[in-house]
Amino acid sequence: MSYCDYAPILQEVADLAAAQPMPEAEVQRYGDLVPDGLREVWRRHGADLIVGEGRIQFCDPSPMRVALAPWFEGDAGLSIERFVPFAYTSHGTILITDGSSTLHDLDLAFSKLTVIRGQDSRPLDQRLTFSIEVSMRYLKQSKHDVDHHAKAVRAFGPLHLGEVFGWEPPFQVTLDASHQIGKFTIADRIAQLQAIGPLEYHRAFRDEIEAAQYGGDSFIRCVGPEPLGG
């Protein structure tokens, strides 16, 4: 059963037995946009689950869609109604499925939306759990061998439901003292970034051949309106 694909991740959820199941009408709302295993997770445990002190959080797609919608309003190529945000990392990378082999991630650290085309025939539940596991591993790794999640937890404590760590000011690209990490609700962080400007939409290359096809440029276009007065 595809629910089993999520078992290693769910083992890191504290008080899983106390989690509130999602109502069946809400589970069925997303139809073929969500694979069977993820629907079963929602059916048994609900969508609001904190994994490993907030390293990953499963999330209810409905309020997340509402929060993200201003970036996609009126976009003919990217409909928020086809996107199901199902989880996000402690540093604000939102994982999104649309029921196909294509995944998206939206990195709030850089206001960057990346499309990741399906590269194999694995069932979608396995692709989703792989994306979660990769995201969790990524937070533990850097060229300086720093676990940024653990470092932030030591400074600010574990994340609560709906919270993420982030840089202030946003778009931190160096480690100088002018940038400080802090705790935000993910809804407030999204609204803050929408006030700054649109997303950059990028493609993830499958290999060097595909990279050469696009001249090594992963940028596709901008998504979302410019800020008022921008």
Side-chain angles (χ1 to χ4, degrees), residues 30 33 61 65 68 72 77-85 96-98 104 113 201:
Y30 300 98
L33 298 179
R65 273 178 164 180
L68 296 176
F72 299 96
L78 295 169
S79 170
I80 193 65
E81 294 304 315
R82 293 291 304 172
F83 279 1
V84 181
I96 301 169
T97 181
D98 63 4
H104 288 80
L113 177 69
Y201 189 31

Side-chain angles (χ1 to χ4, degrees), residues 1-3 10 16 19-31 34-49:
M1 185 178 182
S2 47
Y3 168 83
L10 295 174
L16 184 63
Q20 295 296 312
M22 180 184 283
E24 186 62 26
E26 191 68 13
V27 172
Q28 296 300 330
R29 174 180 178 181
Y30 300 98
V34 177
D36 292 341
L38 182 56
R39 279 204 296 268
E40 190 61 23
V41 171
W42 292 347
R43 191 176 283 118
R44 297 189 191 190
H45 312 296
D48 295 319
L49 301 171

Side-chain angles (χ1 to χ4, degrees), residues 12-217:
E12 297 190 43
V13 177
D15 298 324
L16 184 63
Q20 295 296 312
M22 180 184 283
E24 186 62 26
E26 191 68 13
V27 172
Q28 296 300 330
R29 174 180 178 181
Y30 300 98
D32 62 359
L33 298 179
V34 177
D36 292 341
L38 182 56
R39 279 204 296 268
E40 190 61 23
V41 171
W42 292 347
R43 191 176 283 118
R44 297 189 191 190
H45 312 296
D48 295 319
L49 301 171
I50 300 178
V51 181
E53 296 184 318
R55 198 177 286 274
I56 285 281
Q57 293 191 40
F58 286 84
C59 62
D60 185 336
S62 296
M64 186 65 78
R65 273 178 164 180
V66 171
L68 296 176
W71 268 319
F72 299 96
E73 187 173 353
D75 193 300
L78 295 169
S79 170
I80 193 65
E81 294 304 315
R82 293 291 304 172
F83 279 1
V84 181
F86 64 94
Y88 54 87
T89 72
S90 63
H91 282 63
T93 296
I94 303 168
L95 308 180
I96 301 169
T97 181
D98 63 4
S100 73
S101 61
T102 296
L103 303 179
H104 288 80
D105 69 48
L106 199 168
D107 185 351
L108 297 179
F110 298 99
S111 280
K112 179 179 177 182
L113 177 69
T114 301
V115 57
I116 307 163
R117 305 291 183 190
Q119 301 179 35
D120 54 47
S121 58
R122 284 180 298 174
L124 183 54
D125 280 308
Q126 292 182 15
R127 286 181 53 76
L128 298 192
T129 54
F130 179 74
S131 70
I132 291 171
E133 290 162 355
V134 167
S135 297
M136 291 174 72
R137 288 200 302 269
Y138 176 77
L139 289 172
K140 297 179 182 179
Q141 299 170 351
S142 77
K143 64 182 179 181
H144 302 292
D145 240 1
V146 175
D147 184 332
H148 291 294
H149 172 79
K151 185 176 180 180
V153 168
R154 286 195 296 271
F156 297 98
L159 291 169
H160 297 103
L161 198 64
E163 291 182 333
V164 292
F165 297 121
W167 294 97
E168 188 60 42
F171 311 128
Q172 188 279 142
V173 292
T174 67
L175 296 177
D176 64 57
S178 66
H179 293 86
Q180 301 295 325
I181 199 166
K183 233 185 212 186
F184 306 85
T185 70
I186 193 165
D188 286 348
R189 192 61 166 174
I190 290 168
Q192 180 187 29
L193 295 173
Q194 286 169 342
I196 293 173
L199 298 171
E200 286 192 359
Y201 189 31
H202 289 253
R203 62 177 63 84
F205 295 130
R206 286 178 287 188
D207 50 38
E208 292 181 1
I209 295 175
E210 186 173 78
Q213 177 184 351
Y214 291 100
D217 184 6

